[in-house]
Amino acid sequence: MASQDWFDKDFYKILGVPKDVADADLKKTYRKLARTYHPDSNAGDAAAEAKFKEVSEAYSVLSDAEQRKEYDQIRAMGSGARFTSGGQAGNGGFEDVFSMFNQGRGGGTRYQSEDFDDIFSMFNQQQGGGFGTGRFGQSTGGYRGYGGPTKGADVTARTTIDFVTATKGETISLQGEDGRPFKVKIPAGVSDGQKIRLRGRGRPSPDGGETGDIVVQVAVRPHPVFTRDGPNLRVTVPVTFTEAALGATIEVPTLGGEPVKLRVAPGTPSGRVLRVKGRGVATAKGTGDLLAEVQVAVPSHLDDAAREALERYHELEPKENPRADLMSKARG
């Protein structure tokens, strides 16, 4: 903060609080003003952003007990005081401040260094009118929000990738909403709707804080055969009635690889899941499995011979009612 601000700006008036305001009330007032004028709530409003910075500057001084004491002492000198640039090391640039003190030791007009110990402790005047290590005149490092300078805004981007890319992973090139191109590594196993955050790749902070991020939202196109179940892949495998009833060895497709053979046990019902270890999604946390769900396919057309054979089977099949247990439980 420039030294002149401490003379020209009434931080109590900016925050709308009395000079004897308690710390708790000061904090409560600042938070209310910060919420009202925060840039996130007033996108594109330069006046609100300036007001937010102004109240944050005021709070950064008044919330620090030592700085508040120094500020009150400086303000007590009077708002007409000015610092002059230039001057030699020593008291150059303090003419107006010293002119306010015309009482030396013994009532005369001679000034001795011990008369101004408190002033010199606040001002560490260097060559050229700059300020050194004294707290008065130190930069606040940008206006402070609830815990530090404001983080830069995030840049968002969206991409749609195919199912295989989502499972295998790939580095792709995208363009952010600000028009700038960038590369992003799609990790193996990314899910539909998942967001990938590239930290520190967004917009810079307006006040020296942390740079924002790039946030990429990923959409995954569905696959005609496979679906995701966490790290596992699912596939529905049709089987004939005779394969399910008598048992069979069938081929099951894999994602991007050769089919595998699975044994269907005699009497396998629709909905039974057969597991193929290690043929799911390979991620940094491990590799999932391929889950093949058996679905008995019912023929929609039968020739006369097939119909006659089924009718003979119907006469021979067990006379148990497969829905008897269902009905019993429903009456329950």
Side-chain angles (χ1 to χ4, degrees):
M1 185 187 304
S3 60
Q4 193 60 55
D5 287 348
W6 288 44
F7 286 101
D8 293 343
K9 292 185 179 180
D10 188 338
F11 293 145
Y12 294 101
K13 184 176 181 180
I14 289 171
L15 295 175
V17 296
K19 292 184 178 180
D20 59 351
V21 62
D23 291 342
D25 293 334
L26 178 69
K27 187 175 184 179
K28 181 178 179 181
T29 300
Y30 166 69
R31 286 184 170 177
K32 182 178 180 181
L33 291 172
R35 283 193 296 267
T36 301
Y37 296 107
H38 198 284
D40 290 348
S41 303
N42 302 273
D45 189 337
E49 184 174 346
K51 182 65 175 178
F52 177 76
K53 185 174 182 178
E54 187 178 39
V55 299
S56 296
E57 286 178 338
Y59 181 72
S60 70
V61 173
L62 299 185
S63 63
D64 185 303
E66 188 174 346
Q67 288 200 62
R68 181 174 176 177
K69 179 180 178 181
E70 294 173 3
Y71 171 75
D72 289 342
Q73 291 174 341
I74 297 303
R75 288 284 296 178
M77 295 180 184
S79 61
R82 291 292 185 273
F83 290 98
T84 61
S85 61
Q88 301 299 317
N91 66 352
F94 287 91
E95 294 85 355
D96 291 335
V97 177
F98 288 150
S99 67
M100 299 170 60
F101 298 87
N102 58 9
Q103 181 65 39
R105 288 189 183 272
T109 58
R110 294 176 63 251
Y111 305 116
Q112 299 185 32
S113 61
E114 54 266 37
D115 291 319
F116 299 99
D117 287 342
D118 290 339
I119 295 177
F120 284 134
S121 70
M122 291 189 292
F123 299 96
N124 184 14
Q125 182 72 0
Q126 297 179 348
Q127 199 94 5
F131 289 88
T133 58
R135 292 184 59 83
F136 176 75
Q138 283 185 341
S139 170
T140 62
Y143 53 89
R144 296 192 300 182
Y146 291 109
T150 305
K151 181 182 178 181
D154 291 342
V155 174
T156 60
R158 292 175 175 81
T159 185
T160 300
I161 59 178
D162 60 57
F163 191 88
V164 174
T165 299
T167 57
K168 304 293 185 182
E170 186 177 313
T171 298
I172 62 176
S173 296
L174 296 176
Q175 189 175 60
E177 61 182 9
D178 59 356
R180 293 187 298 174
F182 63 93
K183 291 185 180 295
V184 57
K185 181 181 174 75
I186 303 295
V190 67
S191 303
D192 182 58
Q194 184 174 334
K195 293 181 180 180
I196 300 173
R197 184 175 294 273
L198 307 179
R199 299 199 177 277
R201 300 274 296 277
R203 292 195 177 97
S205 167
D207 61 339
E210 184 181 353
T211 302
D213 305 329
I214 293 178
V215 181
V216 181
Q217 183 164 343
V218 180
V220 180
R221 296 188 191 95
H223 194 279
V225 172
F226 299 97
T227 58
R228 286 278 303 280
D229 182 4
N232 300 322
L233 292 176
R234 283 188 173 272
V235 59
T236 300
V237 183
V239 296
T240 67
F241 170 75
T242 53
E243 287 174 331
L246 302 177
T249 297
I250 62 173
E251 283 192 336
V252 176
T254 61
L255 184 66
E258 295 296 322
V260 294
K261 291 185 177 182
L262 286 180
R263 176 63 182 168
V264 178
T268 295
S270 281
R272 177 169 292 177
V273 176
L274 308 178
R275 184 182 297 269
V276 183
K277 285 283 190 180
R279 300 307 291 266
V281 181
T283 69
K285 295 182 179 180
T287 302
D289 302 330
L290 175 63
L291 307 177
E293 181 179 331
V294 173
Q295 187 71 46
V296 177
V298 178
S300 56
H301 300 285
L302 294 173
D303 59 20
D304 292 340
R307 182 180 297 277
E308 183 180 348
L310 277 177
E311 288 174 349
R312 287 199 307 270
Y313 167 75
H314 178 63
E315 293 175 357
L316 298 172
E317 71 178 339
K319 301 307 178 184
E320 302 167 348
N321 182 357
R323 294 172 293 280
D325 189 51
L326 176 67
M327 297 302 180
S328 175
K329 290 179 178 178
R331 288 191 297 267

